[in-house]
Amino acid sequence: MSKELIVSKIRNGTVIDHIPAGKALTVLRILGITGREGVMVAIVMNVDSKKLGRKDIVKIENRELTAKETDMIALIAPTATINIIRDFMVIEKRKVVVPSVVKGLLKCPNPTCVTRIEPIETVFETISTNPLILRCVYCGSELGLEEVETQLVSSIT
Ligand code: CTP
Ligand code: ZN
């Protein structure tokens, strides 16, 4: 467990572990964390992982994630594990699950899609998780991982 020496354990909060290497900053941006909030955030990048080869870890003190945030993380980091920490102990560990339907979160790339013209909530079905492919139920347009990532990061102000 020598890698644990990089960053100490946290008292209360959330540890997002097993993030694909290189995606930690994207996860932080999706969560809207800029570093100016005053909460302790630790970012560990490109450390050895038995399961993934290399992985990133994000530790956020005093924060629990909403279901929507967990879904957004699942889309771009499907291997992630969310650990809830209370009093230094992992009291809950859950693997994120790529949602089978994504509602109201992403914009359809097709400018003539009904969701771009009428005030209708977008709905995408997940037709593949690896690689990620989402399909608009209204017009059939597809979104890949890169586009999803760009949209999720830029929808945060
Ligand atoms: N962790 C932490 N602070 C704590 C407890 C745990 O930062 N007070 C971190 C650990 O460093 C680890 C993650 O939370 O990155 C999960 O902890 P734990 O379940 O103890 O580790 P593993 O058993 O290695 O997890 P897994 O089986 O999910 O790989
Ligand atoms: Zn569409």
Side-chain angles (χ1 to χ4, degrees), residues 128-143:
S128 162
T129 53
N130 190 18
L132 183 72
I133 303 172
L134 304 180
R135 185 161 59 204
C136 174
V137 300
Y138 293 101
C139 74
S141 292
E142 292 182 357
L143 283 177

Side-chain angles (χ1 to χ4, degrees), residues 26-35 37 63 69 156-157:
T26 308
V27 168
L28 286 177
R29 290 183 69 184
I30 284 174
L31 296 178
I33 292 171
T34 61
E37 295 78 14
R63 166 120 175 216
E69 288 169 336
I156 306 296
T157 47

Side-chain angles (χ1 to χ4, degrees), residues 14 28 32 34 38 41 46 48 51 53 71-73 82 85 90 93 98 100 109 111-112 120 123 127 136 145 147 152:
T14 299
L28 286 177
T34 61
V41 175
N46 297 311
D48 289 321
K51 293 173 210 163
D71 277 356
M72 291 195 285
I73 291 169
I82 309 229
I85 314 294
V90 178
K93 183 188 290 282
V98 180
S100 55
T112 65
I120 296 174
V123 182
I127 58 170
C136 174
L145 177 62
E147 171 69 16
L152 289 180

